[in-house]
């Protein structure tokens, strides 16, 4: 995947800044949040808690979040990564050992970010307080993907856009379905 030189330079500068300037204690906290989000565990746990304690609104928010997350993961991991084949950031840009623990798949886009943003953006319209709470780990996951050297900032931005599109599509598909329900 070829990007314009300006995007590549911004990616390089931001990746090196995030990887080199985030204190180790903060980096460990970011890694813990990312690990909990691995395989969507964090978001499925949040959905279960919302469905269990949130009544009708919680169940609706949880369902929207899980569906949007699935749509975003299908688009990012099932489609875009297969088409883009972008290599991960060079290891020499990352001055810590987390770079050794990254996947071999395409860097573009960030599937973790796509899932996190989709879940949060789908939950927020139905239950704004839960959406605001979910926004914190969502932001941390996005920062961690760059800090760890797993993704370029443009990968994370593309993942966020896919997540927003997944949430929008889910919301509008459900509304269309309900409008035509007998």
């Amino acid at each position: 995947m070829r990007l314009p030189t300006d995007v590549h330079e911004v990616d390089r500068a931001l990746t090196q800044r995030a990887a080199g300037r985030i204190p180790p204690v903060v980096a460990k906290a970011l890694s813990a949040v990312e690990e909990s989000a691995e395989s969507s565990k964090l978001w499925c746990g949040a959905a279960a808690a919302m469905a269990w304690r949130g009544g009708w609104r919680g169940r609706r928010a949880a369902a929207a979040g899980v569906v949007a997350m699935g749509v975003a993961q299908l688009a990012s991991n099932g489609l875009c990564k297969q088409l883009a084949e972008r290599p991960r950031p060079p290891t020499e840009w990352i001055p810590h050992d987390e770079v050794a623990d990254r996947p071999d798949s395409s860097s573009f886009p960030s599937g973790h970010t796509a899932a996190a943003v989709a879940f949060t953006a789908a939950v927020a319209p139905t239950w704004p307080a839960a959406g605001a709470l979910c926004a914190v780990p969502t932001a941390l996951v996005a920062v961690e993907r760059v800090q760890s050297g797993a993704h370029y900032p443009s990968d994370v931005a593309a993942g966020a856009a896919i997540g927003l599109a997944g949430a929008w599509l889910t919301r509008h598909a459900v509304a269309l379905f309900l409008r035509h329900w007998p």
Side-chain angles (χ1 to χ4, degrees):
M1 177 175 182
R2 297 271 307 145
L3 290 176
T5 304
D6 293 344
V7 174
H8 181 72
E9 275 306 305
V10 169
D11 269 345
R12 182 196 55 74
L14 291 175
T15 300
Q16 288 178 314
R17 188 167 294 152
R21 293 195 180 168
I22 292 180
V25 168
V26 175
K28 285 186 190 240
L30 290 173
S31 291
V33 172
E34 186 277 329
E35 182 62 34
S36 70
E38 187 71 35
S39 301
S40 303
K41 294 181 298 237
L42 176 63
W43 314 117
C44 290
M50 284 187 263
W52 178 49
R53 301 292 294 169
W56 180 83
R57 179 171 64 171
R59 288 187 295 278
R60 185 172 176 192
V66 169
V67 170
M69 183 175 58
V71 168
Q73 286 178 324
L74 182 62
S76 64
N77 297 333
L79 180 63
C80 294
K81 280 187 184 287
Q82 307 309 313
L83 298 174
E85 296 184 11
R86 184 181 192 191
R88 302 283 172 168
T91 55
E92 56 270 9
W93 291 5
I94 315 301
H96 51 72
D97 61 357
E98 280 186 65
V99 74
D101 188 31
R102 60 188 188 172
D104 293 330
S105 61
S106 175
S107 180
F108 185 87
S110 170
H112 282 78
T113 304
V117 169
F119 184 83
T120 301
V123 164
T126 302
W127 197 355
L133 287 173
C134 290
V136 173
T138 294
L140 294 175
V141 164
V143 169
E144 189 280 338
R145 301 315 288 157
V146 176
Q147 181 276 331
S148 69
H151 289 285
Y152 296 95
S154 58
D155 299 336
V156 170
I162 290 168
L164 289 172
W168 182 87
L169 183 63
T170 299
R171 185 168 183 81
H172 290 281
V174 168
L176 183 65
F177 176 75
L178 291 176
R179 201 171 322 144
H180 297 291
W181 186 263

